[in-house]
Amino acid sequence: MKLYSNVFGEGAPFIILHGFLGMGDNWKTLGRKIAEQGFQVHLLDQRNHGRSPHNDNFNYSIMADDLEVYCQKSQLKNISLIGHSMGGKTAMLFAVNYPKAVKNLIVADIGPKYYPLHHRDILDGLSSLDFDVLKSRGEVDQELSKYVQDMGVRMFLMKNLYWKEKGKLALRINLDALIKNASEIGTELSNDKSFQGNTLFLKGEKSNYILKEDEVRIKNQFPNSLLTEIPGAGHWLHAENPTDFLSNVLEFVKN
């Protein structure tokens, strides 16, 4: 599968993987700032997201292989790799399966453990959208608000909207495949897998995705890892505190 990417900058390759229901465009501002520091930044849309192809098959093994194909076709070696949330799970598995490809691994607010499904309200809300009836972004927002109270989350979800044709909105994500495979999102990284390379885990101070008791497992599977907390941020740490997020990332990849 040929993943869609937005590439800018010159220098060492730096790949960024978005989270569930996101897309590479979510990372444009941070990606440009990283590129300014002498990197060639690749913002990827993972399968069934953004502008990448839709496919019924969806799990981390397949998404890690998608990334490997992308690196081969783009002739990328010794990459720095950021993955946030779902993207972090893809990034961890990729590093484990293709360790020689990864120079620096950065995992944003997710651990290798199993996470129970917690996107049901969001998926129900997106499923409720009837684009034969809803003719504006305002109307979509109103419908979504019945399922998703948080305006920030709704704004994030609505980045998936586009005009499929004149007067007809649609979603870029492959919603059917994502609902069918929703249980895959929380899958754990198998306990017997590990990555020996340079790894930075970043967690939001207000997030509960990485708990104190998760740190032993992280250290076992990623023995050469650091864990740093981003102050004042929740799960969307790169959006909620981009300054500290960026400075930690740059300090890590430059050392």
Side-chain angles (χ1 to χ4, degrees):
M1 174 174 291
K2 190 177 190 309
L3 297 180
Y4 175 85
S5 65
N6 195 348
V7 183
F8 38 81
E10 294 295 328
F14 201 122
I15 293 178
I16 302 180
L17 299 177
H18 61 81
F20 186 52
L21 304 175
M23 62 183 80
D25 271 9
N26 302 148
W27 287 80
K28 223 177 220 172
T29 304
L30 267 174
R32 291 201 184 281
K33 287 182 176 170
I34 292 169
E36 285 165 10
Q37 300 297 314
F39 295 94
Q40 185 185 66
V41 174
H42 297 247
L43 302 180
L44 265 56
D45 290 348
Q46 297 187 83
R47 66 168 55 207
N48 294 323
H49 289 76
R51 292 173 170 83
S52 278
H54 290 185
N55 192 285
D56 287 343
N57 299 320
F58 185 78
N59 59 54
Y60 288 116
S61 180
I62 287 170
M63 290 194 283
D65 288 346
D66 287 345
L67 178 53
E68 208 274 328
V69 169
Y70 181 86
C71 288
Q72 291 282 352
K73 286 186 174 169
S74 306
Q75 297 183 311
L76 304 181
K77 293 173 180 168
N78 293 324
I79 64 170
S80 292
L81 176 62
I82 290 183
H84 171 244
S85 201
M86 178 191 84
K89 290 270 195 183
T90 306
M92 283 187 274
L93 185 58
F94 178 81
V96 161
N97 289 352
Y98 306 101
K100 288 180 178 164
V102 181
K103 184 179 179 186
N104 300 296
L105 173 65
I106 299 143
V107 182
D109 213 59
I110 199 81
K113 70 178 181 184
Y114 165 78
Y115 290 82
L117 184 64
H118 54 281
H119 300 100
R120 183 51 60 204
D121 289 352
I122 287 174
L123 293 173
D124 288 348
L126 292 171
S127 298
S128 77
L129 301 176
D130 181 349
F131 294 116
D132 289 330
V133 175
L134 304 170
K135 296 298 180 186
S136 71
R137 288 174 179 271
E139 289 174 8
V140 171
D141 184 48
Q142 206 170 358
E143 176 64 25
L144 270 180
S145 69
K146 297 173 188 172
Y147 300 83
V148 182
Q149 271 71 56
D150 189 303
M151 188 181 170
V153 174
R154 292 203 308 277
M155 298 271 288
F156 164 75
L157 295 171
M158 286 172 59
K159 286 184 177 171
N160 286 293
L161 285 174
Y162 74 109
W163 294 103
K164 188 177 180 182
E165 56 195 59
K166 191 173 167 60
K168 179 87 170 182
L169 284 162
L171 291 169
R172 289 206 185 276
I173 48 172
N174 182 358
L175 189 59
D176 290 345
L178 296 179
I179 289 171
K180 190 180 86 178
N181 298 290
S183 61
E184 296 288 342
I185 303 301
T187 312
E188 70 174 346
L189 179 69
S190 177
N191 244 322
D192 59 357
K193 291 182 183 284
S194 64
F195 174 65
Q196 307 299 317
N198 296 331
T199 308
L200 174 65
F201 282 82
L202 294 171
K203 74 179 287 289
E205 180 191 9
K206 298 176 180 173
S207 172
N208 61 359
Y209 273 70
I210 297 178
L211 304 172
K212 192 75 190 158
E213 59 262 30
D214 301 329
E215 293 178 23
V216 172
R217 176 170 183 172
I218 287 172
K219 206 67 183 169
N220 283 341
Q221 294 192 259
F222 299 87
N224 194 16
S225 66
L226 301 166
L227 174 61
T228 301
E229 191 170 86
I230 302 297
H235 185 55
W236 309 96
L237 62 180
H238 56 293
E240 292 168 29
N241 186 348
T243 305
D244 284 341
F245 184 89
L246 181 65
S247 65
N248 274 282
V249 166
L250 291 176
E251 185 185 346
F252 176 70
V253 295
K254 287 187 166 186
N255 291 339

